[in-house]
Amino acid sequence: MTQGTGHGENGDRDRSSEEAALSERLGSLDQRLSEFRDRRIKTEQPAGDGGDGAARASAMALGFRLSSELIAGVVVGAGIGWGFDRLLSTSPFGFIVFLLLGFVAGVVNVVRTAGAGQNRRGGS
């Protein structure tokens, strides 16, 4: 009955050899993972231009802001034109004029915002 419980000299030897094999496998795995991380870091750095994720996020935020300003100008201009057409019964003319004015206002806002971003970066 003592053979099945693993107590005794043979059980201790088996357990210590299993622990040594497990420790060796863990060391090998750790070494392979370190090599993999090193290779991954080396291949990602040139592609990411230094890996600056914050700069990419900031550029994306600026792009969303510029596009939303342009779209907002067009939508507001179209809304005002539609309102004038309903109020004054000048069917397509108010809509067309204010749509174009909204587009021009949106482009002016985009150029102004993009220009302010350029001045900030160039000045610092």
PDB file of all heavy atoms in Angstrom, residues 84-104:
ATOM      1  N   PHE A  84     -34.852  78.849 -44.969  1.00  0.00           N
ATOM      2  CA  PHE A  84     -35.193  80.042 -45.739  1.00  0.00           C
ATOM      3  C   PHE A  84     -36.151  79.713 -46.885  1.00  0.00           C
ATOM      4  O   PHE A  84     -37.076  80.464 -47.174  1.00  0.00           O
ATOM      5  CB  PHE A  84     -33.930  80.718 -46.298  1.00  0.00           C
ATOM      6  CG  PHE A  84     -33.359  81.754 -45.389  1.00  0.00           C
ATOM      7  CD1 PHE A  84     -32.278  81.459 -44.582  1.00  0.00           C
ATOM      8  CD2 PHE A  84     -33.894  83.035 -45.331  1.00  0.00           C
ATOM      9  CE1 PHE A  84     -31.747  82.413 -43.733  1.00  0.00           C
ATOM     10  CE2 PHE A  84     -33.369  83.994 -44.493  1.00  0.00           C
ATOM     11  CZ  PHE A  84     -32.297  83.681 -43.690  1.00  0.00           C
ATOM     12  N   ASP A  85     -35.899  78.584 -47.554  1.00  0.00           N
ATOM     13  CA  ASP A  85     -36.790  78.176 -48.647  1.00  0.00           C
ATOM     14  C   ASP A  85     -38.207  77.934 -48.139  1.00  0.00           C
ATOM     15  O   ASP A  85     -39.180  78.299 -48.806  1.00  0.00           O
ATOM     16  CB  ASP A  85     -36.255  76.918 -49.336  1.00  0.00           C
ATOM     17  CG  ASP A  85     -35.138  77.229 -50.307  1.00  0.00           C
ATOM     18  OD1 ASP A  85     -34.992  78.401 -50.695  1.00  0.00           O
ATOM     19  OD2 ASP A  85     -34.406  76.282 -50.679  1.00  0.00           O
ATOM     20  N   ARG A  86     -38.357  77.322 -47.004  1.00  0.00           N
ATOM     21  CA  ARG A  86     -39.689  77.058 -46.441  1.00  0.00           C
ATOM     22  C   ARG A  86     -40.368  78.362 -46.012  1.00  0.00           C
ATOM     23  O   ARG A  86     -41.562  78.537 -46.203  1.00  0.00           O
ATOM     24  CB  ARG A  86     -39.585  76.131 -45.214  1.00  0.00           C
ATOM     25  CG  ARG A  86     -39.150  74.746 -45.544  1.00  0.00           C
ATOM     26  CD  ARG A  86     -40.267  73.991 -46.212  1.00  0.00           C
ATOM     27  NE  ARG A  86     -40.559  72.819 -45.409  1.00  0.00           N
ATOM     28  CZ  ARG A  86     -41.731  72.242 -45.380  1.00  0.00           C
ATOM     29  NH1 ARG A  86     -42.719  72.711 -46.071  1.00  0.00           N
ATOM     30  NH2 ARG A  86     -41.912  71.171 -44.677  1.00  0.00           N
ATOM     31  N   LEU A  87     -39.552  79.257 -45.441  1.00  0.00           N
ATOM     32  CA  LEU A  87     -40.088  80.507 -44.921  1.00  0.00           C
ATOM     33  C   LEU A  87     -40.469  81.475 -46.036  1.00  0.00           C
ATOM     34  O   LEU A  87     -41.531  82.111 -45.984  1.00  0.00           O
ATOM     35  CB  LEU A  87     -39.038  81.149 -43.996  1.00  0.00           C
ATOM     36  CG  LEU A  87     -39.516  82.112 -42.945  1.00  0.00           C
ATOM     37  CD1 LEU A  87     -40.400  81.390 -41.940  1.00  0.00           C
ATOM     38  CD2 LEU A  87     -38.338  82.728 -42.236  1.00  0.00           C
ATOM     39  N   LEU A  88     -39.623  81.590 -47.052  1.00  0.00           N
ATOM     40  CA  LEU A  88     -39.812  82.595 -48.095  1.00  0.00           C
ATOM     41  C   LEU A  88     -40.346  82.017 -49.406  1.00  0.00           C
ATOM     42  O   LEU A  88     -40.509  82.758 -50.377  1.00  0.00           O
ATOM     43  CB  LEU A  88     -38.490  83.327 -48.368  1.00  0.00           C
ATOM     44  CG  LEU A  88     -37.844  83.997 -47.153  1.00  0.00           C
ATOM     45  CD1 LEU A  88     -36.497  84.571 -47.520  1.00  0.00           C
ATOM     46  CD2 LEU A  88     -38.757  85.083 -46.609  1.00  0.00           C
ATOM     47  N   SER A  89     -40.537  80.713 -49.473  1.00  0.00           N
ATOM     48  CA  SER A  89     -41.032  80.025 -50.683  1.00  0.00           C
ATOM     49  C   SER A  89     -40.151  80.292 -51.904  1.00  0.00           C
ATOM     50  O   SER A  89     -40.614  80.618 -52.989  1.00  0.00           O
ATOM     51  CB  SER A  89     -42.478  80.436 -51.001  1.00  0.00           C
ATOM     52  OG  SER A  89     -43.322  80.078 -49.944  1.00  0.00           O
ATOM     53  N   THR A  90     -38.852  80.161 -51.717  1.00  0.00           N
ATOM     54  CA  THR A  90     -37.878  80.329 -52.812  1.00  0.00           C
ATOM     55  C   THR A  90     -37.201  78.990 -53.063  1.00  0.00           C
ATOM     56  O   THR A  90     -35.976  78.882 -53.011  1.00  0.00           O
ATOM     57  CB  THR A  90     -36.831  81.388 -52.449  1.00  0.00           C
ATOM     58  OG1 THR A  90     -36.196  80.997 -51.244  1.00  0.00           O
ATOM     59  CG2 THR A  90     -37.455  82.754 -52.311  1.00  0.00           C
ATOM     60  N   SER A  91     -37.969  78.001 -53.374  1.00  0.00           N
ATOM     61  CA  SER A  91     -37.639  76.584 -53.325  1.00  0.00           C
ATOM     62  C   SER A  91     -36.168  76.193 -53.441  1.00  0.00           C
ATOM     63  O   SER A  91     -35.561  75.964 -52.426  1.00  0.00           O
ATOM     64  CB  SER A  91     -38.479  75.811 -54.327  1.00  0.00           C
ATOM     65  OG  SER A  91     -38.345  74.442 -54.094  1.00  0.00           O
ATOM     66  N   PRO A  92     -35.516  76.089 -54.563  1.00  0.00           N
ATOM     67  CA  PRO A  92     -34.170  75.523 -54.479  1.00  0.00           C
ATOM     68  C   PRO A  92     -33.080  76.561 -54.254  1.00  0.00           C
ATOM     69  O   PRO A  92     -31.963  76.216 -53.896  1.00  0.00           O
ATOM     70  CB  PRO A  92     -33.983  74.851 -55.842  1.00  0.00           C
ATOM     71  CG  PRO A  92     -34.758  75.679 -56.783  1.00  0.00           C
ATOM     72  CD  PRO A  92     -35.939  76.176 -55.970  1.00  0.00           C
ATOM     73  N   PHE A  93     -33.367  77.838 -54.432  1.00  0.00           N
ATOM     74  CA  PHE A  93     -32.302  78.834 -54.458  1.00  0.00           C
ATOM     75  C   PHE A  93     -31.667  79.077 -53.081  1.00  0.00           C
ATOM     76  O   PHE A  93     -30.447  79.143 -52.962  1.00  0.00           O
ATOM     77  CB  PHE A  93     -32.825  80.152 -55.051  1.00  0.00           C
ATOM     78  CG  PHE A  93     -33.310  79.985 -56.458  1.00  0.00           C
ATOM     79  CD1 PHE A  93     -34.655  80.102 -56.758  1.00  0.00           C
ATOM     80  CD2 PHE A  93     -32.419  79.663 -57.471  1.00  0.00           C
ATOM     81  CE1 PHE A  93     -35.113  79.926 -58.047  1.00  0.00           C
ATOM     82  CE2 PHE A  93     -32.869  79.481 -58.769  1.00  0.00           C
ATOM     83  CZ  PHE A  93     -34.218  79.601 -59.062  1.00  0.00           C
ATOM     84  N   GLY A  94     -32.446  79.219 -52.072  1.00  0.00           N
ATOM     85  CA  GLY A  94     -31.904  79.414 -50.727  1.00  0.00           C
ATOM     86  C   GLY A  94     -31.097  78.204 -50.278  1.00  0.00           C
ATOM     87  O   GLY A  94     -30.020  78.338 -49.686  1.00  0.00           O
ATOM     88  N   PHE A  95     -31.617  77.025 -50.585  1.00  0.00           N
ATOM     89  CA  PHE A  95     -30.904  75.794 -50.217  1.00  0.00           C
ATOM     90  C   PHE A  95     -29.545  75.737 -50.902  1.00  0.00           C
ATOM     91  O   PHE A  95     -28.529  75.462 -50.267  1.00  0.00           O
ATOM     92  CB  PHE A  95     -31.754  74.575 -50.603  1.00  0.00           C
ATOM     93  CG  PHE A  95     -31.112  73.264 -50.262  1.00  0.00           C
ATOM     94  CD1 PHE A  95     -31.084  72.806 -48.955  1.00  0.00           C
ATOM     95  CD2 PHE A  95     -30.530  72.484 -51.249  1.00  0.00           C
ATOM     96  CE1 PHE A  95     -30.499  71.597 -48.639  1.00  0.00           C
ATOM     97  CE2 PHE A  95     -29.938  71.273 -50.943  1.00  0.00           C
ATOM     98  CZ  PHE A  95     -29.924  70.828 -49.634  1.00  0.00           C
ATOM     99  N   ILE A  96     -29.519  76.032 -52.205  1.00  0.00           N
ATOM    100  CA  ILE A  96     -28.262  75.965 -52.967  1.00  0.00           C
ATOM    101  C   ILE A  96     -27.278  77.015 -52.465  1.00  0.00           C
ATOM    102  O   ILE A  96     -26.092  76.713 -52.227  1.00  0.00           O
ATOM    103  CB  ILE A  96     -28.543  76.136 -54.477  1.00  0.00           C
ATOM    104  CG1 ILE A  96     -29.315  74.920 -55.001  1.00  0.00           C
ATOM    105  CG2 ILE A  96     -27.247  76.315 -55.246  1.00  0.00           C
ATOM    106  CD1 ILE A  96     -29.832  75.091 -56.419  1.00  0.00           C
ATOM    107  N   VAL A  97     -27.738  78.236 -52.275  1.00  0.00           N
ATOM    108  CA  VAL A  97     -26.844  79.321 -51.835  1.00  0.00           C
ATOM    109  C   VAL A  97     -26.266  79.021 -50.457  1.00  0.00           C
ATOM    110  O   VAL A  97     -25.055  79.124 -50.240  1.00  0.00           O
ATOM    111  CB  VAL A  97     -27.598  80.676 -51.850  1.00  0.00           C
ATOM    112  CG1 VAL A  97     -26.790  81.753 -51.129  1.00  0.00           C
ATOM    113  CG2 VAL A  97     -27.887  81.093 -53.283  1.00  0.00           C
ATOM    114  N   PHE A  98     -27.108  78.638 -49.522  1.00  0.00           N
ATOM    115  CA  PHE A  98     -26.612  78.387 -48.167  1.00  0.00           C
ATOM    116  C   PHE A  98     -25.816  77.085 -48.067  1.00  0.00           C
ATOM    117  O   PHE A  98     -24.933  76.975 -47.222  1.00  0.00           O
ATOM    118  CB  PHE A  98     -27.755  78.423 -47.158  1.00  0.00           C
ATOM    119  CG  PHE A  98     -28.137  79.820 -46.776  1.00  0.00           C
ATOM    120  CD1 PHE A  98     -29.203  80.457 -47.382  1.00  0.00           C
ATOM    121  CD2 PHE A  98     -27.407  80.518 -45.823  1.00  0.00           C
ATOM    122  CE1 PHE A  98     -29.560  81.747 -47.044  1.00  0.00           C
ATOM    123  CE2 PHE A  98     -27.740  81.807 -45.474  1.00  0.00           C
ATOM    124  CZ  PHE A  98     -28.813  82.424 -46.085  1.00  0.00           C
ATOM    125  N   LEU A  99     -26.111  76.133 -48.917  1.00  0.00           N
ATOM    126  CA  LEU A  99     -25.293  74.917 -48.970  1.00  0.00           C
ATOM    127  C   LEU A  99     -23.870  75.268 -49.394  1.00  0.00           C
ATOM    128  O   LEU A  99     -22.893  74.819 -48.778  1.00  0.00           O
ATOM    129  CB  LEU A  99     -25.902  73.889 -49.929  1.00  0.00           C
ATOM    130  CG  LEU A  99     -25.150  72.576 -50.057  1.00  0.00           C
ATOM    131  CD1 LEU A  99     -25.387  71.727 -48.808  1.00  0.00           C
ATOM    132  CD2 LEU A  99     -25.596  71.822 -51.292  1.00  0.00           C
ATOM    133  N   LEU A 100     -23.752  76.105 -50.423  1.00  0.00           N
ATOM    134  CA  LEU A 100     -22.422  76.536 -50.863  1.00  0.00           C
ATOM    135  C   LEU A 100     -21.728  77.393 -49.802  1.00  0.00           C
ATOM    136  O   LEU A 100     -20.519  77.252 -49.573  1.00  0.00           O
ATOM    137  CB  LEU A 100     -22.532  77.300 -52.185  1.00  0.00           C
ATOM    138  CG  LEU A 100     -22.944  76.446 -53.398  1.00  0.00           C
ATOM    139  CD1 LEU A 100     -23.164  77.330 -54.619  1.00  0.00           C
ATOM    140  CD2 LEU A 100     -21.909  75.382 -53.671  1.00  0.00           C
ATOM    141  N   LEU A 101     -22.485  78.274 -49.154  1.00  0.00           N
ATOM    142  CA  LEU A 101     -21.901  79.080 -48.074  1.00  0.00           C
ATOM    143  C   LEU A 101     -21.441  78.198 -46.906  1.00  0.00           C
ATOM    144  O   LEU A 101     -20.390  78.445 -46.293  1.00  0.00           O
ATOM    145  CB  LEU A 101     -22.905  80.129 -47.584  1.00  0.00           C
ATOM    146  CG  LEU A 101     -23.119  81.333 -48.496  1.00  0.00           C
ATOM    147  CD1 LEU A 101     -24.229  82.223 -47.949  1.00  0.00           C
ATOM    148  CD2 LEU A 101     -21.827  82.118 -48.652  1.00  0.00           C
ATOM    149  N   GLY A 102     -22.218  77.178 -46.586  1.00  0.00           N
ATOM    150  CA  GLY A 102     -21.823  76.246 -45.539  1.00  0.00           C
ATOM    151  C   GLY A 102     -20.573  75.476 -45.906  1.00  0.00           C
ATOM    152  O   GLY A 102     -19.693  75.246 -45.072  1.00  0.00           O
ATOM    153  N   PHE A 103     -20.465  75.095 -47.182  1.00  0.00           N
ATOM    154  CA  PHE A 103     -19.257  74.405 -47.644  1.00  0.00           C
ATOM    155  C   PHE A 103     -18.042  75.316 -47.527  1.00  0.00           C
ATOM    156  O   PHE A 103     -16.989  74.900 -47.040  1.00  0.00           O
ATOM    157  CB  PHE A 103     -19.442  73.942 -49.091  1.00  0.00           C
ATOM    158  CG  PHE A 103     -18.218  73.292 -49.663  1.00  0.00           C
ATOM    159  CD1 PHE A 103     -17.860  72.012 -49.285  1.00  0.00           C
ATOM    160  CD2 PHE A 103     -17.429  73.970 -50.579  1.00  0.00           C
ATOM    161  CE1 PHE A 103     -16.719  71.416 -49.803  1.00  0.00           C
ATOM    162  CE2 PHE A 103     -16.290  73.388 -51.096  1.00  0.00           C
ATOM    163  CZ  PHE A 103     -15.932  72.104 -50.716  1.00  0.00           C
ATOM    164  N   VAL A 104     -18.192  76.574 -47.944  1.00  0.00           N
ATOM    165  CA  VAL A 104     -17.082  77.531 -47.848  1.00  0.00           C
ATOM    166  C   VAL A 104     -16.701  77.756 -46.385  1.00  0.00           C
ATOM    167  O   VAL A 104     -15.510  77.781 -46.027  1.00  0.00           O
ATOM    168  CB  VAL A 104     -17.453  78.863 -48.547  1.00  0.00           C
ATOM    169  CG1 VAL A 104     -16.439  79.954 -48.235  1.00  0.00           C
ATOM    170  CG2 VAL A 104     -17.551  78.646 -50.042  1.00  0.00           C
TER     171      VAL A 104
END
